[in-house]
Amino acid sequence: MAGRGTVDPAEMRAAVEAVSTWLGDDSTSAPARPELAAAVRTTVRTLAASAPGHSVEVRVPPFVAVQCIEGPRHTRGTPPNVVETDPRTWLLLATGLLDFETAVANGTVTASGSRAAEVAHWLPIARPAAD
């Protein structure tokens, strides 16, 4: 990766492809931690680059947290607008295999604050290659 805020699109696509079988079928073995981390980090950082700002914090523990979407900057304490989820759910959202509103409704994504749902506007980030 060139810098902390930039993501090579080819690197992101390769990272997503490395975990795509697991995303399509959760009964397959989970990817190795480095592969999972790469897919999560590159897609979340791509979101931050596509929707720069500091109004919403997107958290995908244990791998990454970024601030994105234009608006008031958050600097201390718990941000007022937070989207948090697990790595698999994030990657399903990032690839368009899961809808944001559905994920919030079924409890796999927590979206707090009046602007958190704006993240949905920037999804999907990458689509897995067709089989």
Side-chain angles (χ1 to χ4, degrees), residues 80-84 100 104 108-118:
N81 300 290
V82 176
V83 172
E84 186 167 348
F100 187 83
V104 170
T108 57
V109 168
T110 57
S112 61
S114 61
R115 301 201 57 200
E118 291 180 34

Side-chain angles (χ1 to χ4, degrees), residues 29-46:
S29 298
R33 184 178 172 93
E35 290 175 328
L36 184 57
V40 170
R41 288 181 181 134
T42 58
T43 53
V44 172
R45 289 179 180 152
T46 297

Side-chain angles (χ1 to χ4, degrees), residues 4-121:
R4 189 166 174 87
T6 61
V7 176
D8 176 358
E11 181 183 348
M12 181 196 60
R13 282 190 302 276
V16 169
E17 282 306 310
V19 300
S20 65
T21 300
W22 177 65
L23 293 177
D25 180 3
D26 66 353
S27 69
T28 62
S29 298
R33 184 178 172 93
E35 290 175 328
L36 184 57
V40 170
R41 288 181 181 134
T42 58
T43 53
V44 172
R45 289 179 180 152
T46 297
L47 169 68
S50 299
H54 302 281
S55 289
V56 179
E57 186 165 292
V58 176
R59 300 173 181 168
V60 186
F63 299 119
V64 69
V66 300
Q67 291 184 353
C68 58
I69 302 178
E70 286 187 26
R73 181 180 186 93
H74 170 76
T75 57
R76 298 176 66 179
T78 301
N81 300 290
V82 176
V83 172
E84 186 167 348
T85 191
D86 62 275
R88 186 168 195 279
T89 299
W90 168 256
L91 290 170
L92 291 171
L93 292 167
T95 57
L97 298 172
L98 177 63
D99 177 78
F100 187 83
E101 292 78 18
T102 301
V104 170
N106 70 24
T108 57
V109 168
T110 57
S112 61
S114 61
R115 301 201 57 200
E118 291 180 34
V119 168
H121 172 74

